Amino acid sequence: MEGLFPTFICILSNLKNLDLSQNNLTGVIPSCVSNLKSLSNLDVSNNNFHGPLPLIPKNVLSFLDLSNNKLRGKNSIEMGKILSSIDTIVLSDNELSGPIPFSMCSKVNRIIDLSNNKLSGIIPTSIGYCTKLLSLNFGHNNLTGNVPDVLGQALSLTFLQLNDNNLDGVPLGFISKFQRLEVLNLAKNKFEGSIPTAFGSLEYLQILSLRFNKFNGSIPEEITHLQPLQILDISHNHLTGLIPKKIGNLTRLISRPEGTQPLLNYGAGDLKLQMVIKGIVTQLLKVFHYTSGVDLSCNTFSGNIPEEIGLLKALSTLNLSHNQLSGIIPQECRKYERIPKGLHFDTLSGDGSAYINNSLLCGDFTNNTCEGDKRSNSTDNNSPNEGYEDDQNDAKDKLLLYAIVALGFAVGFWGLFFVLLIKKEKWWFG
């Protein structure tokens, strides 16, 4: 469907559900929508609406999705009061600016997604009024300051995404209160200090992303107790020390779980996450229950790679690059021993420097021949001069063949000559 918002809808006073999503509608959302006093669900997501946030019915809506449009303007105090009465608020992927309204939170709110906008300022302390929150997403904005401790009153919080902002300080001293938390994404901020050991108390945590911050110190061993953890990304920090041996305790990464269902954000859209895969920052459009990865790159970890990392058979992405690791690759990882061919690997290190001192690697860019290559070459390349000797033998065989042919020709020719000569003599004297 194309064109403008169909204004005839505004006279449908008993309308409860309005879904115009996934169309090519343009223009502004008319103010007459506020006349729909019975409206409970309003979804106009994934269109091309622009202009300010629309006036919406007060104290009736339970679901509002205006995401993926081109809505602009600042969230007014009045709008904040209206939003505070809505269960699910999804305003992501627009061009909203200004601060988050102080008046927007209440016990009614369960899902708030303001991600991918141009919001600025601090996270208001009124967030503490949202005590029933299940999912909070302020990612990809320009927010600054600390995360207020009053957020810890949302004891049922399951998804918390504050990534890609300018938040700072020591994060979430109250994190242990979120005993139902499954996703914690604090990536690309300015958090500092040690990674809180309290993260290890989140027994349902499946995704932990702290990449691109200023964390220092070592990896808390408590994190290795998180059996459901399937994605651990602490890359691009200032972390030091050894990689803990108990990393092999991450049960979810030992065997791949069954099922192909994506990890959903409580009806507020699919969970999206960035990871570095094959050296490229990749936006995971969908995160499934079997999606897995460990990224410890771009820190200052030292020592050996623990053998226990070889137990993580379900791991699909492992990045330990740009550290100060030493020693050899553990024997347990030998099944990953050959360097594959292809664009990603051929351009990784044209001179082979990326593979120096990895004695268990074989294949291109190394001096080590793989076992399969040894067996296939054993009959052809037993010695450096074998190819030359084979060429010589072939030449001798050809010469012998030519000699035999020439000899046969000579014998046949001269034999025929002598027969004719004898017959001629008999005729001459006969």
Side-chain angles (χ1 to χ4, degrees), residues 238-290:
H238 306 305
L239 299 170
T240 59
L242 305 177
I243 299 175
K245 293 183 177 180
K246 291 186 178 180
I247 196 170
N249 293 346
L250 298 175
T251 306
R252 177 66 68 87
L253 300 179
I254 294 176
S255 60
R256 176 172 166 159
E258 297 180 356
T260 58
Q261 295 298 318
L263 196 62
L264 296 179
N265 193 357
Y266 281 99
D270 294 330
L271 174 69
K272 296 179 181 179
L273 188 72
Q274 281 189 346
M275 287 194 71
V276 174
I277 300 177
K278 298 179 180 178
I280 300 173
V281 178
T282 303
Q283 179 76 47
L284 303 182
L285 298 181
K286 288 184 180 292
V287 178
F288 297 88
H289 286 285
Y290 60 78

Side-chain angles (χ1 to χ4, degrees), residues 304-338:
N304 296 334
I305 301 173
E307 296 180 356
E308 290 77 5
I309 209 165
L311 299 174
L312 307 181
K313 306 299 183 184
L315 195 59
S316 59
T317 300
L318 174 63
N319 191 351
L320 305 178
S321 64
H322 298 281
N323 279 289
Q324 297 181 4
L325 300 172
S326 59
I328 63 174
I329 294 177
Q331 298 281 343
E332 288 73 10
C333 298
R334 272 198 167 187
K335 74 172 187 175
Y336 310 114
E337 63 186 3
R338 181 163 188 154

Side-chain angles (χ1 to χ4, degrees), residues 13 112 122 192 230 234 236 249 270 283 302 425:
S13 57
I112 299 177
I122 63 172
E192 57 188 0
Q230 62 191 77
I234 54 176
H236 293 272
N249 293 346
D270 294 330
Q283 179 76 47
S302 58
E425 288 177 351

Side-chain angles (χ1 to χ4, degrees), residues 14-85:
N14 294 322
L15 190 66
K16 293 185 177 180
N17 299 303
L18 176 57
D19 187 348
L20 298 176
S21 63
Q22 306 287 339
N23 283 293
N24 291 313
L25 298 174
T26 59
V28 298
I29 302 173
S31 59
C32 66
V33 172
S34 62
N35 297 330
L36 300 174
K37 303 302 183 182
S38 299
L39 196 63
S40 176
N41 300 306
L42 175 59
D43 187 350
V44 295
S45 62
N46 293 281
N47 281 286
N48 292 303
F49 289 121
H50 60 266
L53 289 175
L55 294 176
I56 55 178
K58 293 183 179 181
N59 302 318
V60 291
L61 275 181
S62 62
F63 180 91
L64 175 65
D65 191 347
L66 307 179
S67 63
N68 286 283
N69 281 286
K70 299 176 181 178
L71 300 175
R72 295 187 175 185
K74 299 181 179 182
N75 295 321
S76 65
I77 296 176
E78 181 63 23
M79 178 58 65
K81 292 179 180 179
I82 296 174
L83 295 177
S84 67
S85 64

Side-chain angles (χ1 to χ4, degrees), residues 114-136:
L114 305 182
S115 63
N116 289 287
N117 280 287
K118 300 177 180 179
L119 299 173
S120 58
I122 63 172
I123 299 175
T125 55
S126 60
I127 197 73
Y129 297 132
C130 293
T131 55
K132 303 296 183 182
L133 268 180
L134 296 176
S135 177
L136 177 64

